[in-house]
């Protein structure tokens, strides 16, 4: 989209039921749709049928370095190749409104292939407070997209990315949460191929409650010749 141009939103009342309602939203700029969203809403209902996966056992966020601290640590290495130094400086200069603490940060000096899984502690920067839950859901949607598709690249770190963009992004909200409180983001990629990658994610509250489940498919194009060295 173009941030300089107003966005026209068309909302269709797809379905209105007693317990569930669905709305389809189309965002339009320059007469063309740039974004399509389908949102499903449910009245709060209790049920004895309930279960969830178990939250991974990881160090608490207080014991881990932030992404900024990790980048600063890498930049202090005199053997870091100039193109990687520029890339890290570019990331450092981005004004990302999210606090991120990787649980197992990848070593940029190592081109060893990794399992397509990663864990982050994440939260919105600043104070949001006890406001409408929909606000926290919107913030979580922004958080969930950050570095999500990159999970599919971990087994292919020898390749340089030419183009990577999301095709679709789905979210299911299970329990109340605060987007400005630390949550564990568990990401994994079960499949990649045909210039596409599929990733799945779970946002856990600190008390072990599964708050959100995410899924995303994206386009991934890389240079055919693998990088030889990162130094």
């Amino acid at each position: 989209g173009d941030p300089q141009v107003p966005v026209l939103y068309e909302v269709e009342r797809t379905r209105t039921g007693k317990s569930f309602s669905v709305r389809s939203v189309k965002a339009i700029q320059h007469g063309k749709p740039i974004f399509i969203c389908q949102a499903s809403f449910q009245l709060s209902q209790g049920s004895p049928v309930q279960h969830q996966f178990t939250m991974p056992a990881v160090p608490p966020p207080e014991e881990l370095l932030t992404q900024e601290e990790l980048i600063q640590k890498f930049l202090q290495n005199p053997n870091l190749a100039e193109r990687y130094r520029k890339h890290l400086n570019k990331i450092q200069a981005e004004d990302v409104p999210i606090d991120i603490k990787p649980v197992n940060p990848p070593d940029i000096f190592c081109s060893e292939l990794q399992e397509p899984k990663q864990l982050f502690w994440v939260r919105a920067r600043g104070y949001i407070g006890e406001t409408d839950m929909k606000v926290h859901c919107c913030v979580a949607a922004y958080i969930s997209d950050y570095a999500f598709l990159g999970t599919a690249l971990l087994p292919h770190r020898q390749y340089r990315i030419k183009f990577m963009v999301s095709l679709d992004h789905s979210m299911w909200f299970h329990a109340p949460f605060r987007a400005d409180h630390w949550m564990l983001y568990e990401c994994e990629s079960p499949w990649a191929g045909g210039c596409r990658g599929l990733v799945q994610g779970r946002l856990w509250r600190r008390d072990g409650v599964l708050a959100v489940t995410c899924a995303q498919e994206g386009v991934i194009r890389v240079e055919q010749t693998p990088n030889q060295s990162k130094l």
Side-chain angles (χ1 to χ4, degrees):
D2 185 347
Q4 305 300 321
V5 177
V7 180
L8 173 65
Y9 291 97
E10 291 184 354
V11 180
E12 177 187 347
R13 296 175 181 267
T14 309
R15 181 179 184 275
T16 301
K18 293 182 179 179
S19 300
F20 293 87
S21 294
V22 179
R23 299 291 183 263
S24 298
V25 183
K26 185 184 294 184
I28 300 172
Q29 275 187 337
H30 304 294
K32 296 180 180 180
I34 60 169
F35 174 82
I36 296 174
C37 169
Q38 182 164 291
S40 176
F41 304 91
Q42 178 194 9
L43 290 176
S44 180
Q45 295 174 303
S47 171
V49 179
Q50 53 183 334
H51 71 269
Q52 65 166 46
F53 284 172
T54 301
M55 178 178 172
V58 298
E62 290 79 14
E63 296 180 8
L64 299 171
L65 297 177
T66 65
Q67 179 172 273
E68 288 82 0
E69 291 168 336
L70 286 166
I71 289 176
Q72 199 57 43
K73 184 179 175 181
F74 287 136
L75 289 173
Q76 290 172 357
N77 191 312
N79 297 319
L80 182 65
E82 186 59 29
R83 67 187 182 90
Y84 284 96
R85 189 174 299 278
K86 287 181 179 179
H87 177 65
L88 292 175
N89 279 322
K90 183 179 178 181
I91 296 175
Q92 193 82 300
E94 292 177 356
D95 187 18
V96 179
I98 311 170
D99 286 324
I100 303 167
K101 292 192 173 186
V103 174
N104 294 302
D107 185 351
I108 64 169
F109 296 100
C110 175
S111 59
E112 262 185 45
L113 309 186
Q114 289 184 259
E115 193 177 9
K117 295 182 178 181
Q118 53 184 344
L119 293 160
F120 306 93
W121 283 105
V122 293
R123 68 179 178 186
R125 285 183 177 164
Y127 177 78
I128 298 175
E130 298 286 352
T131 183
D132 191 323
M133 188 61 210
K134 291 190 285 292
V135 174
H136 289 282
C137 289
C138 290
V139 175
Y142 180 91
I143 291 174
S144 70
D145 191 47
Y146 191 83
F148 194 21
L149 191 56
T151 309
L153 288 169
L154 293 177
H156 314 285
R157 297 179 65 199
Q158 72 272 34
Y159 294 100
R160 186 180 299 181
I161 305 168
K162 287 170 58 179
F163 181 76
M164 186 168 68
V165 67
S166 169
L167 289 170
D168 52 59
H169 190 94
S170 300
M171 300 184 73
W172 296 264
F173 298 96
H174 311 307
F177 62 91
R178 285 274 299 270
D180 54 350
H181 288 180
W182 285 116
M183 292 190 292
L184 182 68
Y185 196 15
E186 180 186 9
C187 307
E188 59 186 359
S189 174
W191 176 88
C195 294
R196 290 179 293 129
L198 177 66
V199 287
Q200 299 168 341
R202 290 178 281 274
L203 275 167
W204 299 89
R205 293 190 333 208
R206 290 194 68 164
D207 60 0
V209 171
L210 179 59
V212 186
T213 297
C214 314
Q216 184 179 96
E217 186 183 39
V219 176
I220 301 175
R221 301 190 191 280
V222 299
E223 293 183 0
Q224 292 299 312
T225 304
N227 293 331
Q228 297 301 314
S229 174
K230 290 181 180 282
L231 299 178

